[in-house]
Amino acid sequence: MSNTMQEMQTDIGLVNTIVARSALSFIDGENGVLEYVGYDIDDLARNSTFEETTFLLWNKRLPSRSELAEFTEQIRTNYDLSDRMWDIIVSLPRDASPMHALRTLTSALSLEDPGADDPSEEANARKSLAMLTKMPALIAGFDRHRKGLDLVRPDATISLSENFLYMLNGIKPTERMARAMDICLILHADHGFNASTFASLVTISTLSDMYSAVTTAIGTLKGPLHGGANQVVMIMLQEIEGLDSVEEYVMDKLAKKDKIMGFGHRVYKAYDPRATYLKTFAEGIAEDTGNTELFELSKRIEQIMDREVGSRGIYPNVDFYSATTYFSLGIDLDLFTPLFAMSRVSGWTAHCLEYLEDNRLIRPRCDYVGPHQQEYIAISQR
Amino acid sequence: MSNTMQEMQTDIGLVNTIVARSALSFIDGENGVLEYVGYDIDDLARNSTFEETTFLLWNKRLPSRSELAEFTEQIRTNYDLSDRMWDIIVSLPRDASPMHALRTLTSALSLEDPGADDPSEEANARKSLAMLTKMPALIAGFDRHRKGLDLVRPDATISLSENFLYMLNGIKPTERMARAMDICLILHADHGFNASTFASLVTISTLSDMYSAVTTAIGTLKGPLHGGANQVVMIMLQEIEGLDSVEEYVMDKLAKKDKIMGFGHRVYKAYDPRATYLKTFAEGIAEDTGNTELFELSKRIEQIMDREVGSRGIYPNVDFYSATTYFSLGIDLDLFTPLFAMSRVSGWTAHCLEYLEDNRLIRPRCDYVGPHQQEYIAISQR
């Protein structure tokens, strides 16, 4: 129904409403297809890097060799934070939740940017780059601060994924670990008009600024109905006592009609295309880190679920294998959602930049169901 | 169209889509009516207080005398910030824009709340109260910090409006000044599903938390298409050289089809019901502060606009007279939007609390218009 018809329609949750056009990600839930700007997610996971994927989302095409080199250089020289930002990190309460910290710190990046409100395309690209490149330091820095460890400044000679793991752990990761992190970042970089992306569009639609839009998105991703899911998968895996308990655990949950975390997706009725390659890769990581039990556990759950509910289109989703991958990398559970943000910031900013090309204020209606013409009685008479 | 029909509709900007039911504010743009829970905005502006109006929005009824006394007490004992928050304020760059500072500081309030992620109704009410009561200190504190002035701690014996002006200026306001501030807060407290309120609903719909939702709202309000408007009114008024230049200035703008800031409203085709009483009151404030020139200028603009475009339903809106009121109170232009946030936080939180009663994830669709099945060519081949 077009706007010109001026008929009011009700759609709670907006599940059936198209709010904008986009050329960024295409999702075919029936057939288990996800493409970024037409490139299959599996191709990108196998062959691309997070840096290149971000270039793709921001420019709607893959870079040439020299463009990628230049872009990579821009990213690396932007890793570091100002002394003031490092000081702010160590001034935060150690027991704060990392998502609240990340939202606050990302918002604070605006305070020392004299062009924070510059609405030009150039400035918006610069601000997007600043958030993308500095989020790893914000997350790793806060994690080390809360653990009472010395902060590790970034290394501008390595990739964003490698650098994140370096700042988090204080030692360089193996190649396979860095690659696992990179694959997770590629897989989470964009996914249509999910709630956090959409919330960032509502923010930018008032012609606010990129910092506000991404701050909005982080706060929205935080909810357990959205980005909080892979953390919950891991909590579930930890509940299971061992390989022998899996059958009973899963069957018991299914009998009670409890949700098995990490299975099924609102959009995908086929195998989640983001899980395919990650699953293979997770096995390698498990072998590397000697943490094969967790991977075996995951595989066993998948087998049982396939036998029981596979015919109903309930398959493992991206959260399932990213949870085990992050866990194998030694990352704390409450950093899983911040890592999702560290990846999705590329998609959030890409969507905001795209929306601004033909901006329209997003201002829906509500159906007023309250009273009318109530008489105001003075407090002395009440 | 109901959700059950599963037909896709396109509505860019969502102007014709009802996204939820609400019993908070009713707007009749044709007849110039605004009601909060059925109470006429003019009645509330004349007779109520911001504290009582907030109680009304949070409880969907006016309080009894004892309830109001208790609520007022709760508000006043919550004015002060922790030492850590005062320290964070003075650590911020002095040249940061107040809206970026307010968004960051409100987000930071969550960091020292051990129940920041407690989803209970009680906890959500507590968090709403914390943000409502502490925002005046965040705004006034940052303003004094950037001016190099000593911070003023709140006075728990006075109203929120009076206390704000006290913390801002270091001296107690006159009764009329405090009342003018209070009226402005009442008038801005709620206004249906505007962009900032809607953005906060998208955030809370993932079952994120109240701090995230309000942080989202502040970032969204910040845009010039939304909360930035009354600041722009004042910039316009300052452009006009004197009473004698008004006619030429306005006629010139109209001839060029430029927008006259503070006139017309997307919703109201009649006189903005929020402007009526404020206009009368602004005159008194102008007399009190000796700043009558500005008020005369505003009145003259209104007369010319009425003569030229009044028949087309273009009248002064709430921004027009709140701008002159704030200016007469000696408030810096870039604090006008933070003041809007300080008021609207009551409406934002009221809408989030209401939405959570029957929560549904807000996740719209996009119309994918990009390429498909692009072949990934290795970077070495590009």
Side-chain angles (χ1 to χ4, degrees), chain A residues 1 3 10-11 52 208 219 376, chain B residues 1 3 10-11 52 208 219 376:
Chain A
M1 208 165 284
N3 287 330
T10 300
D11 184 5
E52 183 182 73
S208 189
Y376 184 89
Chain B
M1 205 165 288
N3 287 330
T10 300
D11 183 5
E52 183 182 73
S208 190
Y376 183 89

Side-chain angles (χ1 to χ4, degrees), chain A residues 258-319:
Chain A
D258 278 0
K259 211 172 139 52
I260 307 278
M261 301 311 299
F263 280 80
H265 192 278
R266 181 155 158 183
V267 175
Y268 296 112
K269 302 305 162 208
Y271 206 91
D272 184 334
R274 299 170 295 178
T276 326
Y277 183 55
L278 189 58
K279 178 184 167 183
T280 323
F281 210 89
E283 188 162 15
I285 286 289
E287 280 164 16
D288 271 20
T289 60
N291 205 335
T292 51
E293 198 192 329
L294 182 68
F295 184 77
E296 291 301 324
L297 206 74
S298 310
K299 230 169 56 180
R300 186 85 191 96
I301 297 175
E302 188 179 345
Q303 283 161 358
I304 300 169
M305 287 295 282
D306 187 47
R307 184 187 75 206
E308 298 294 325
V309 294
S311 60
R312 280 157 44 203
I314 299 173
Y315 298 105
N317 56 40
V318 68
D319 299 320

Side-chain angles (χ1 to χ4, degrees), chain A residues 60-130:
Chain A
K60 298 188 180 172
R61 61 178 178 80
L62 286 176
S64 70
R65 250 181 294 178
S66 63
E67 282 172 331
L68 184 59
E70 195 193 329
F71 187 60
T72 301
E73 179 65 16
Q74 277 179 3
I75 287 176
R76 295 183 179 189
T77 51
N78 265 289
Y79 285 155
D80 211 353
L81 307 175
S82 68
D83 290 343
R84 185 197 294 269
M85 281 304 300
W86 289 112
D87 287 347
I88 290 181
I89 290 176
V90 299
S91 78
L92 299 185
R94 289 177 200 270
D95 56 356
S97 112
M99 277 302 274
H100 287 294
L102 179 62
R103 188 193 60 233
T104 305
L105 292 168
T106 303
S107 178
L109 287 176
S110 69
L111 302 176
E112 42 189 27
D113 180 350
D117 288 325
D118 179 346
S120 70
E121 227 176 288
E122 223 177 349
N124 286 336
R126 187 182 48 71
K127 289 179 251 182
S128 303
L129 189 80

Side-chain angles (χ1 to χ4, degrees), chain A residues 123-297:
Chain A
N124 286 336
R126 187 182 48 71
K127 289 179 251 182
S128 303
L129 189 80
M131 289 185 281
L132 178 97
T133 52
K134 293 181 201 313
M135 249 190 222
L138 301 179
I139 298 169
F142 178 72
D143 188 58
R144 289 187 73 88
H145 160 60
R146 66 175 175 164
K147 290 175 174 156
L149 301 169
D150 286 341
L151 302 196
V152 177
R153 312 261 323 209
D155 179 343
T157 67
I158 52 181
S159 76
L160 189 137
S161 296
E162 203 176 349
N163 180 51
F164 169 71
L165 290 170
Y166 167 61
M167 288 189 289
L168 188 74
N169 299 321
I171 49 164
K172 299 271 165 77
T174 65
E175 209 182 310
R176 179 127 70 166
M177 285 169 80
R179 182 72 191 131
M181 174 59 63
D182 211 49
I183 292 168
C184 287
L185 295 185
I186 293 169
L187 295 175
H188 287 91
D190 196 38
H191 208 248
F193 279 10
N194 52 84
S196 58
T197 299
F198 178 55
S200 75
L201 294 184
V202 180
T203 295
I204 206 72
S205 85
T206 69
L207 299 180
S208 189
D209 68 290
M210 298 298 288
Y211 294 109
S212 293
V214 171
T215 303
T216 288
I218 295 169
T220 309
L221 183 74
K222 193 185 146 290
L225 296 188
H226 190 2
N230 55 10
Q231 183 176 346
V232 188
V233 169
M234 201 55 231
I235 293 169
M236 178 189 79
L237 291 176
Q238 290 185 319
E239 271 176 26
I240 305 176
E241 281 173 14
L243 214 49
D244 293 342
S245 319
V246 175
E247 177 88 23
E248 192 187 334
Y249 182 89
V250 174
M251 294 307 286
D252 187 53
K253 284 253 183 197
L254 288 176
K256 289 194 210 149
K257 297 198 192 299
D258 278 0
K259 211 172 139 52
I260 307 278
M261 301 311 299
F263 280 80
H265 192 278
R266 181 155 158 183
V267 175
Y268 296 112
K269 302 305 162 208
Y271 206 91
D272 184 334
R274 299 170 295 178
T276 326
Y277 183 55
L278 189 58
K279 178 184 167 183
T280 323
F281 210 89
E283 188 162 15
I285 286 289
E287 280 164 16
D288 271 20
T289 60
N291 205 335
T292 51
E293 198 192 329
L294 182 68
F295 184 77
E296 291 301 324
L297 206 74

